[in-house]
Amino acid sequence: YDPADVQRLLPRGLRVDTYDGMAWVGLVAFEMVDIALAGLPPVPHLGTFPETNVRTYVRGPDGTPGVWFHSLEAERLGPVLVARGAYRLPYFWSQMRVTDTPRGIRYVSKRRWPGPRGIGGPIEVEIGEPIGFPGSLEAFLTARWRLFTVSNRRIRSAEVTHPPWPLHRALATEVGIDLVTAAGYPRPVGAPLALYSPGVPVAVTTPRTVARLPG
């Protein structure tokens, strides 16, 4: 995207991060497995569910790179309520399904609450060869160790810890873009850059205030 298309959707205090002069928006579908609060065991069944987010890449007030989430869809209502309350993240409760295909994976989501209800759509990818040494663009998109939120005129940040993502090339054979356009973006042009990862363990800290916005 043109960086101006992204910057106009960001809160004060965050600026769009670019690669070769262009901004990027990610539609990221994955599965959370055995999530748990620090020091507690995962809740059987409830701690494993599909999730899809729309994200972009930003710099915080001190220039630190991170991620800004426009929306996060999740199948379990409990984690949605916790994340909305504790992290002030824009989580949405959605009807979701993940199925294996002969050559890859298919995700389908349909938003339940809060509105607008019914948006979502399919995401299907064919999984290709492993990327032995990710290029600089792949690193720009995936090596992000911080997320930002805004609440009560405060920019808050949480650290995200995980090993480097093992990446594969992928081919997006179907991409529903309702969630991207619902975030306020124009329809994307051209084929998306698709990547696949078998996953890594992830830990997220409690958000802390990093800047105060003027009233």
Side-chain angles (χ1 to χ4, degrees):
Y1 281 95
D2 186 310
D5 288 333
V6 175
Q7 188 64 55
R8 67 183 177 85
L9 297 174
L10 297 177
R12 289 182 298 169
L14 297 180
R15 60 183 175 86
V16 60
D17 200 0
T18 60
Y19 182 88
D20 280 350
M22 297 301 294
W24 288 78
V25 174
L27 179 63
V28 185
F30 54 99
E31 189 169 21
M32 304 284 266
V33 179
D34 291 338
I35 68 166
L37 297 175
L40 297 176
V43 180
H45 179 65
L46 294 179
T48 298
F49 52 87
E51 184 172 315
T52 298
N53 66 61
V54 176
R55 61 192 252 175
T56 192
Y57 307 92
V58 299
R59 295 271 175 171
D62 65 352
T64 302
V67 171
W68 173 259
F69 291 106
H70 292 290
S71 65
L72 305 98
E73 316 292 312
E75 189 183 38
R76 298 280 186 260
L77 179 58
V80 166
L81 297 176
V82 170
R84 290 183 74 92
Y87 284 81
R88 297 297 192 265
L89 287 170
Y91 264 88
F92 296 83
W93 183 33
S94 296
Q95 180 181 353
M96 307 184 77
R97 184 174 70 254
V98 182
T99 54
D100 292 332
T101 67
R103 301 182 64 179
I105 298 179
R106 179 179 177 84
Y107 292 76
V108 179
S109 68
K110 185 177 181 180
R111 186 176 292 176
R112 289 171 164 168
W113 175 89
R117 293 173 57 89
I119 67 169
I123 302 171
E124 185 168 332
V125 297
E126 295 180 358
I127 301 169
E129 294 298 316
I131 302 174
F133 298 96
S136 55
L137 175 57
E138 289 84 2
F140 173 87
L141 296 172
T142 62
R144 295 278 160 161
W145 316 110
R146 189 174 301 274
L147 64 86
F148 293 99
T149 66
V150 174
S151 176
N152 297 324
R153 296 199 300 272
R154 297 179 180 182
I155 298 178
R156 306 172 77 208
S157 174
E159 296 180 7
V160 182
T161 304
H162 60 76
W165 293 97
L167 297 174
H168 290 241
R169 304 287 179 194
L171 173 66
T173 57
E174 189 173 8
V175 180
I177 61 166
D178 280 5
L179 296 175
V180 175
T181 55
Y185 289 105
R187 295 180 63 88
V189 177
L193 169 66
L195 300 169
Y196 165 81
S197 177
V200 292
V202 177
V204 183
T205 64
T206 302
R208 61 181 180 87
T209 298
V210 294
R212 297 179 185 270
L213 298 174

